[in-house]
mmCIF file of all heavy atoms in Angstrom:
data_model
loop_
_atom_site.group_PDB
_atom_site.id
_atom_site.type_symbol
_atom_site.label_atom_id
_atom_site.label_comp_id
_atom_site.label_asym_id
_atom_site.label_seq_id
_atom_site.Cartn_x
_atom_site.Cartn_y
_atom_site.Cartn_z
ATOM 1 N N SER A 63 111.678 106.774 103.499
ATOM 2 C CA SER A 63 111.370 105.365 103.258
ATOM 3 C C SER A 63 112.355 104.752 102.279
ATOM 4 O O SER A 63 112.788 103.601 102.453
ATOM 5 C CB SER A 63 109.935 105.227 102.724
ATOM 6 O OG SER A 63 108.996 105.754 103.629
ATOM 7 N N ILE A 66 115.681 104.161 104.112
ATOM 8 C CA ILE A 66 115.582 103.008 105.009
ATOM 9 C C ILE A 66 115.567 101.713 104.213
ATOM 10 O O ILE A 66 116.225 100.729 104.591
ATOM 11 C CB ILE A 66 114.328 103.127 105.896
ATOM 12 C CG1 ILE A 66 114.451 104.330 106.846
ATOM 13 C CG2 ILE A 66 114.111 101.845 106.703
ATOM 14 C CD1 ILE A 66 113.213 104.584 107.669
ATOM 15 N N CYS A 67 114.836 101.690 103.105
ATOM 16 C CA CYS A 67 114.814 100.494 102.260
ATOM 17 C C CYS A 67 116.204 100.182 101.717
ATOM 18 O O CYS A 67 116.592 99.003 101.628
ATOM 19 C CB CYS A 67 113.832 100.687 101.097
ATOM 20 S SG CYS A 67 112.090 100.553 101.550
ATOM 21 N N LEU A 70 118.357 98.765 104.615
ATOM 22 C CA LEU A 70 117.973 97.391 104.935
ATOM 23 C C LEU A 70 118.172 96.456 103.747
ATOM 24 O O LEU A 70 118.561 95.291 103.913
ATOM 25 C CB LEU A 70 116.506 97.338 105.379
ATOM 26 C CG LEU A 70 116.144 98.080 106.665
ATOM 27 C CD1 LEU A 70 114.641 97.992 106.900
ATOM 28 C CD2 LEU A 70 116.891 97.508 107.852
ATOM 29 N N LEU A 92 111.067 83.611 100.051
ATOM 30 C CA LEU A 92 110.653 84.243 101.299
ATOM 31 C C LEU A 92 110.401 85.740 101.121
ATOM 32 O O LEU A 92 109.506 86.314 101.749
ATOM 33 C CB LEU A 92 111.711 84.008 102.386
ATOM 34 C CG LEU A 92 111.877 82.565 102.866
ATOM 35 C CD1 LEU A 92 113.022 82.467 103.865
ATOM 36 C CD2 LEU A 92 110.578 82.057 103.478
ATOM 37 N N ILE A 93 111.200 86.375 100.269
ATOM 38 C CA ILE A 93 111.021 87.811 100.031
ATOM 39 C C ILE A 93 109.805 88.062 99.150
ATOM 40 O O ILE A 93 109.040 89.014 99.365
ATOM 41 C CB ILE A 93 112.293 88.395 99.392
ATOM 42 C CG1 ILE A 93 113.430 88.407 100.414
ATOM 43 C CG2 ILE A 93 112.037 89.815 98.868
ATOM 44 C CD1 ILE A 93 114.764 88.834 99.849
ATOM 45 N N LEU A 95 107.182 86.048 98.815
ATOM 46 C CA LEU A 95 105.956 85.463 99.340
ATOM 47 C C LEU A 95 104.925 86.493 99.793
ATOM 48 O O LEU A 95 103.744 86.388 99.447
ATOM 49 C CB LEU A 95 106.301 84.492 100.485
ATOM 50 C CG LEU A 95 105.180 83.568 100.967
ATOM 51 C CD1 LEU A 95 104.718 82.666 99.828
ATOM 52 C CD2 LEU A 95 105.659 82.714 102.139
ATOM 53 N N PRO A 96 105.309 87.519 100.584
ATOM 54 C CA PRO A 96 104.295 88.521 100.977
ATOM 55 C C PRO A 96 103.696 89.276 99.786
ATOM 56 O O PRO A 96 102.548 89.729 99.862
ATOM 57 C CB PRO A 96 105.083 89.471 101.893
ATOM 58 C CG PRO A 96 106.255 88.675 102.359
ATOM 59 C CD PRO A 96 106.606 87.784 101.217
ATOM 60 N N MET A 97 104.448 89.394 98.691
ATOM 61 C CA MET A 97 103.955 90.131 97.528
ATOM 62 C C MET A 97 102.883 89.359 96.783
ATOM 63 O O MET A 97 102.183 89.929 95.934
ATOM 64 C CB MET A 97 105.120 90.458 96.597
ATOM 65 C CG MET A 97 106.201 91.315 97.235
ATOM 66 S SD MET A 97 107.581 91.676 96.127
ATOM 67 C CE MET A 97 106.768 92.681 94.894
ATOM 68 N N TRP A 98 102.744 88.067 97.067
ATOM 69 C CA TRP A 98 101.682 87.292 96.442
ATOM 70 C C TRP A 98 100.324 87.620 97.058
ATOM 71 O O TRP A 98 99.292 87.267 96.506
ATOM 72 C CB TRP A 98 101.971 85.803 96.579
ATOM 73 C CG TRP A 98 103.215 85.362 95.864
ATOM 74 C CD1 TRP A 98 103.938 86.103 94.970
ATOM 75 C CD2 TRP A 98 103.897 84.117 95.988
ATOM 76 N NE1 TRP A 98 105.032 85.383 94.525
ATOM 77 C CE2 TRP A 98 105.031 84.162 95.134
ATOM 78 C CE3 TRP A 98 103.672 82.961 96.724
ATOM 79 C CZ2 TRP A 98 105.922 83.106 95.005
ATOM 80 C CZ3 TRP A 98 104.559 81.903 96.601
ATOM 81 C CH2 TRP A 98 105.660 81.975 95.749
ATOM 82 N N MET A 99 100.356 88.260 98.226
ATOM 83 C CA MET A 99 99.128 88.670 98.880
ATOM 84 C C MET A 99 98.732 90.063 98.381
ATOM 85 O O MET A 99 99.581 90.867 98.009
ATOM 86 C CB MET A 99 99.328 88.691 100.396
ATOM 87 C CG MET A 99 98.062 88.919 101.206
ATOM 88 S SD MET A 99 98.420 89.051 102.980
ATOM 89 C CE MET A 99 99.204 87.463 103.283
ATOM 90 N N ASN A 100 97.461 90.344 98.375
ATOM 91 C CA ASN A 100 96.954 91.630 97.907
ATOM 92 C C ASN A 100 97.563 92.779 98.705
ATOM 93 O O ASN A 100 97.709 92.695 99.923
ATOM 94 C CB ASN A 100 95.428 91.647 98.008
ATOM 95 C CG ASN A 100 94.825 92.929 97.485
ATOM 96 O OD1 ASN A 100 94.691 93.912 98.205
ATOM 97 N ND2 ASN A 100 94.469 92.941 96.215
ATOM 98 N N PHE A 101 97.940 93.848 98.000
ATOM 99 C CA PHE A 101 98.573 95.016 98.621
ATOM 100 C C PHE A 101 97.696 95.592 99.726
ATOM 101 O O PHE A 101 98.181 95.966 100.801
ATOM 102 C CB PHE A 101 98.835 96.070 97.541
ATOM 103 C CG PHE A 101 99.470 97.331 98.038
ATOM 104 C CD1 PHE A 101 100.851 97.437 98.141
ATOM 105 C CD2 PHE A 101 98.694 98.415 98.402
ATOM 106 C CE1 PHE A 101 101.440 98.598 98.596
ATOM 107 C CE2 PHE A 101 99.276 99.587 98.864
ATOM 108 C CZ PHE A 101 100.650 99.678 98.961
ATOM 109 N N LEU A 103 95.414 94.048 101.555
ATOM 110 C CA LEU A 103 95.365 93.160 102.711
ATOM 111 C C LEU A 103 96.630 93.273 103.543
ATOM 112 O O LEU A 103 96.576 93.239 104.780
ATOM 113 C CB LEU A 103 95.163 91.712 102.242
ATOM 114 C CG LEU A 103 93.816 91.398 101.574
ATOM 115 C CD1 LEU A 103 93.779 89.953 101.117
ATOM 116 C CD2 LEU A 103 92.657 91.682 102.535
ATOM 117 N N ARG A 104 97.785 93.398 102.880
ATOM 118 C CA ARG A 104 99.038 93.536 103.617
ATOM 119 C C ARG A 104 99.039 94.807 104.459
ATOM 120 O O ARG A 104 99.538 94.824 105.586
ATOM 121 C CB ARG A 104 100.226 93.552 102.647
ATOM 122 C CG ARG A 104 100.393 92.303 101.852
ATOM 123 C CD ARG A 104 101.823 92.166 101.315
ATOM 124 N NE ARG A 104 102.283 93.352 100.619
ATOM 125 C CZ ARG A 104 102.166 93.537 99.309
ATOM 126 N NH1 ARG A 104 101.574 92.616 98.563
ATOM 127 N NH2 ARG A 104 102.644 94.635 98.736
ATOM 128 N N THR A 105 98.484 95.873 103.905
ATOM 129 C CA THR A 105 98.449 97.138 104.632
ATOM 130 C C THR A 105 97.475 97.072 105.796
ATOM 131 O O THR A 105 97.760 97.584 106.891
ATOM 132 C CB THR A 105 98.064 98.287 103.679
ATOM 133 O OG1 THR A 105 98.920 98.272 102.534
ATOM 134 C CG2 THR A 105 98.195 99.627 104.369
ATOM 135 N N TYR A 106 96.319 96.431 105.583
ATOM 136 C CA TYR A 106 95.368 96.263 106.681
ATOM 137 C C TYR A 106 95.938 95.384 107.786
ATOM 138 O O TYR A 106 95.586 95.545 108.965
ATOM 139 C CB TYR A 106 94.061 95.659 106.164
ATOM 140 C CG TYR A 106 93.054 96.692 105.736
ATOM 141 C CD1 TYR A 106 92.660 96.814 104.414
ATOM 142 C CD2 TYR A 106 92.477 97.560 106.670
ATOM 143 C CE1 TYR A 106 91.736 97.769 104.010
ATOM 144 C CE2 TYR A 106 91.556 98.518 106.289
ATOM 145 C CZ TYR A 106 91.186 98.613 104.963
ATOM 146 O OH TYR A 106 90.273 99.567 104.579
ATOM 147 N N ALA A 107 96.814 94.447 107.426
ATOM 148 C CA ALA A 107 97.448 93.609 108.443
ATOM 149 C C ALA A 107 98.274 94.465 109.390
ATOM 150 O O ALA A 107 98.299 94.230 110.614
ATOM 151 C CB ALA A 107 98.317 92.554 107.769
ATOM 152 N N TRP A 108 98.964 95.479 108.852
ATOM 153 C CA TRP A 108 99.746 96.368 109.697
ATOM 154 C C TRP A 108 98.842 97.242 110.565
ATOM 155 O O TRP A 108 99.231 97.641 111.674
ATOM 156 C CB TRP A 108 100.663 97.240 108.853
ATOM 157 C CG TRP A 108 101.955 96.556 108.568
ATOM 158 C CD1 TRP A 108 102.326 95.938 107.417
ATOM 159 C CD2 TRP A 108 103.044 96.401 109.477
ATOM 160 N NE1 TRP A 108 103.585 95.402 107.538
ATOM 161 C CE2 TRP A 108 104.045 95.666 108.799
ATOM 162 C CE3 TRP A 108 103.271 96.786 110.789
ATOM 163 C CZ2 TRP A 108 105.255 95.328 109.395
ATOM 164 C CZ3 TRP A 108 104.480 96.458 111.392
ATOM 165 C CH2 TRP A 108 105.453 95.729 110.697
ATOM 166 N N ILE A 111 98.224 95.297 113.558
ATOM 167 C CA ILE A 111 99.409 95.229 114.428
ATOM 168 C C ILE A 111 99.628 96.534 115.178
ATOM 169 O O ILE A 111 99.934 96.530 116.384
ATOM 170 C CB ILE A 111 100.657 94.887 113.591
ATOM 171 C CG1 ILE A 111 100.525 93.485 112.995
ATOM 172 C CG2 ILE A 111 101.925 94.987 114.438
ATOM 173 C CD1 ILE A 111 101.622 93.150 112.001
ATOM 174 N N ALA A 138 103.884 105.549 111.203
ATOM 175 C CA ALA A 138 103.120 104.386 110.742
ATOM 176 C C ALA A 138 103.066 104.344 109.222
ATOM 177 O O ALA A 138 103.186 103.273 108.613
ATOM 178 C CB ALA A 138 101.712 104.427 111.328
ATOM 179 N N VAL A 139 102.888 105.504 108.592
ATOM 180 C CA VAL A 139 102.869 105.573 107.131
ATOM 181 C C VAL A 139 104.216 105.160 106.564
ATOM 182 O O VAL A 139 104.304 104.374 105.604
ATOM 183 C CB VAL A 139 102.478 106.985 106.659
ATOM 184 C CG1 VAL A 139 102.518 107.071 105.135
ATOM 185 C CG2 VAL A 139 101.097 107.361 107.167
ATOM 186 N N GLY A 140 105.302 105.680 107.155
ATOM 187 C CA GLY A 140 106.635 105.314 106.694
ATOM 188 C C GLY A 140 106.915 103.836 106.873
ATOM 189 O O GLY A 140 107.528 103.198 105.999
ATOM 190 N N LEU A 141 106.463 103.264 107.977
ATOM 191 C CA LEU A 141 106.653 101.833 108.211
ATOM 192 C C LEU A 141 105.913 101.018 107.167
ATOM 193 O O LEU A 141 106.436 100.014 106.659
ATOM 194 C CB LEU A 141 106.159 101.482 109.612
ATOM 195 C CG LEU A 141 106.316 100.015 110.045
ATOM 196 C CD1 LEU A 141 107.787 99.600 110.004
ATOM 197 C CD2 LEU A 141 105.742 99.816 111.451
ATOM 198 N N GLY A 142 104.699 101.445 106.825
ATOM 199 C CA GLY A 142 103.940 100.751 105.786
ATOM 200 C C GLY A 142 104.630 100.833 104.435
ATOM 201 O O GLY A 142 104.642 99.858 103.669
ATOM 202 N N MET A 143 105.223 101.976 104.122
ATOM 203 C CA MET A 143 105.954 102.119 102.866
ATOM 204 C C MET A 143 107.159 101.191 102.822
ATOM 205 O O MET A 143 107.399 100.506 101.821
ATOM 206 C CB MET A 143 106.417 103.571 102.702
ATOM 207 C CG MET A 143 105.323 104.566 102.408
ATOM 208 S SD MET A 143 106.022 106.234 102.223
ATOM 209 C CE MET A 143 104.538 107.181 101.873
ATOM 210 N N VAL A 144 107.931 101.169 103.911
ATOM 211 C CA VAL A 144 109.130 100.336 103.949
ATOM 212 C C VAL A 144 108.748 98.867 103.779
ATOM 213 O O VAL A 144 109.384 98.121 103.016
ATOM 214 C CB VAL A 144 109.906 100.549 105.260
ATOM 215 C CG1 VAL A 144 111.011 99.529 105.405
ATOM 216 C CG2 VAL A 144 110.477 101.967 105.305
ATOM 217 N N TYR A 145 107.721 98.437 104.491
ATOM 218 C CA TYR A 145 107.313 97.033 104.416
ATOM 219 C C TYR A 145 106.860 96.658 103.006
ATOM 220 O O TYR A 145 107.252 95.602 102.476
ATOM 221 C CB TYR A 145 106.183 96.766 105.405
ATOM 222 C CG TYR A 145 105.521 95.415 105.190
ATOM 223 C CD1 TYR A 145 106.169 94.246 105.577
ATOM 224 C CD2 TYR A 145 104.277 95.319 104.586
ATOM 225 C CE1 TYR A 145 105.585 93.010 105.367
ATOM 226 C CE2 TYR A 145 103.684 94.084 104.372
ATOM 227 C CZ TYR A 145 104.342 92.927 104.770
ATOM 228 O OH TYR A 145 103.754 91.713 104.546
ATOM 229 N N ASN A 146 106.052 97.490 102.390
ATOM 230 C CA ASN A 146 105.488 97.157 101.083
ATOM 231 C C ASN A 146 106.487 97.272 99.947
ATOM 232 O O ASN A 146 106.391 96.539 98.957
ATOM 233 C CB ASN A 146 104.272 98.043 100.804
ATOM 234 C CG ASN A 146 103.024 97.587 101.531
ATOM 235 O OD1 ASN A 146 102.473 96.547 101.233
ATOM 236 N ND2 ASN A 146 102.583 98.382 102.504
ATOM 237 N N TYR A 147 107.439 98.199 100.057
ATOM 238 C CA TYR A 147 108.322 98.478 98.929
ATOM 239 C C TYR A 147 109.741 97.942 99.114
ATOM 240 O O TYR A 147 110.550 98.054 98.187
ATOM 241 C CB TYR A 147 108.379 99.982 98.684
ATOM 242 C CG TYR A 147 107.029 100.590 98.402
ATOM 243 C CD1 TYR A 147 106.628 101.773 99.012
ATOM 244 C CD2 TYR A 147 106.139 99.970 97.530
ATOM 245 C CE1 TYR A 147 105.383 102.325 98.757
ATOM 246 C CE2 TYR A 147 104.888 100.523 97.281
ATOM 247 C CZ TYR A 147 104.518 101.696 97.896
ATOM 248 O OH TYR A 147 103.280 102.227 97.649
ATOM 249 N N LEU A 148 110.058 97.360 100.267
ATOM 250 C CA LEU A 148 111.396 96.828 100.482
ATOM 251 C C LEU A 148 111.804 95.789 99.432
ATOM 252 O O LEU A 148 112.949 95.806 98.959
ATOM 253 C CB LEU A 148 111.509 96.241 101.884
ATOM 254 C CG LEU A 148 112.868 95.659 102.284
ATOM 255 C CD1 LEU A 148 113.962 96.732 102.190
ATOM 256 C CD2 LEU A 148 112.824 95.070 103.701
ATOM 257 N N PRO A 149 110.924 94.864 99.037
ATOM 258 C CA PRO A 149 111.333 93.899 97.995
ATOM 259 C C PRO A 149 111.752 94.565 96.682
ATOM 260 O O PRO A 149 112.606 94.034 95.967
ATOM 261 C CB PRO A 149 110.071 93.038 97.799
ATOM 262 C CG PRO A 149 109.349 93.132 99.098
ATOM 263 C CD PRO A 149 109.589 94.531 99.573
ATOM 264 N N PHE A 150 111.170 95.729 96.370
ATOM 265 C CA PHE A 150 111.530 96.428 95.134
ATOM 266 C C PHE A 150 112.937 97.003 95.202
ATOM 267 O O PHE A 150 113.523 97.319 94.163
ATOM 268 C CB PHE A 150 110.537 97.551 94.853
ATOM 269 C CG PHE A 150 109.131 97.074 94.656
ATOM 270 C CD1 PHE A 150 108.068 97.704 95.280
ATOM 271 C CD2 PHE A 150 108.867 95.983 93.847
ATOM 272 C CE1 PHE A 150 106.765 97.264 95.095
ATOM 273 C CE2 PHE A 150 107.577 95.533 93.661
ATOM 274 C CZ PHE A 150 106.520 96.165 94.280
ATOM 275 N N ILE A 152 115.385 95.277 97.156
ATOM 276 C CA ILE A 152 116.257 94.115 97.265
ATOM 277 C C ILE A 152 116.497 93.463 95.909
ATOM 278 O O ILE A 152 117.643 93.137 95.559
ATOM 279 C CB ILE A 152 115.659 93.089 98.253
ATOM 280 C CG1 ILE A 152 115.601 93.683 99.662
ATOM 281 C CG2 ILE A 152 116.477 91.801 98.249
ATOM 282 C CD1 ILE A 152 114.909 92.780 100.668
ATOM 283 N N VAL A 200 111.316 102.243 94.467
ATOM 284 C CA VAL A 200 110.753 102.514 95.789
ATOM 285 C C VAL A 200 110.215 103.942 95.869
ATOM 286 O O VAL A 200 109.105 104.180 96.350
ATOM 287 C CB VAL A 200 111.801 102.276 96.890
ATOM 288 C CG1 VAL A 200 111.271 102.744 98.247
ATOM 289 C CG2 VAL A 200 112.168 100.808 96.955
ATOM 290 N N ILE A 210 98.284 103.542 101.642
ATOM 291 C CA ILE A 210 99.016 103.399 102.910
ATOM 292 C C ILE A 210 98.713 104.564 103.837
ATOM 293 O O ILE A 210 98.453 104.382 105.039
ATOM 294 C CB ILE A 210 100.529 103.289 102.647
ATOM 295 C CG1 ILE A 210 100.834 102.037 101.833
ATOM 296 C CG2 ILE A 210 101.302 103.264 103.965
ATOM 297 C CD1 ILE A 210 102.290 101.907 101.423
ATOM 298 N N LEU A 214 96.944 103.620 107.337
ATOM 299 C CA LEU A 214 97.815 103.728 108.513
ATOM 300 C C LEU A 214 97.931 105.146 109.032
ATOM 301 O O LEU A 214 98.305 105.350 110.191
ATOM 302 C CB LEU A 214 99.216 103.186 108.172
ATOM 303 C CG LEU A 214 99.273 101.718 107.745
ATOM 304 C CD1 LEU A 214 100.717 101.303 107.464
ATOM 305 C CD2 LEU A 214 98.659 100.813 108.787
#
Side-chain angles (χ1 to χ4, degrees):
S63 301
I66 294 175
C67 285
L70 296 177
L92 293 176
I93 290 174
L95 192 61
M97 300 179 66
W98 296 349
M99 188 184 301
N100 183 273
F101 179 87
L103 293 178
R104 298 201 309 268
T105 307
Y106 269 115
W108 273 102
I111 295 172
V139 178
L141 182 59
M143 289 180 179
V144 171
Y145 169 74
N146 281 292
Y147 301 135
L148 181 59
F150 299 134
I152 296 175
V200 172
I210 297 175
L214 299 181

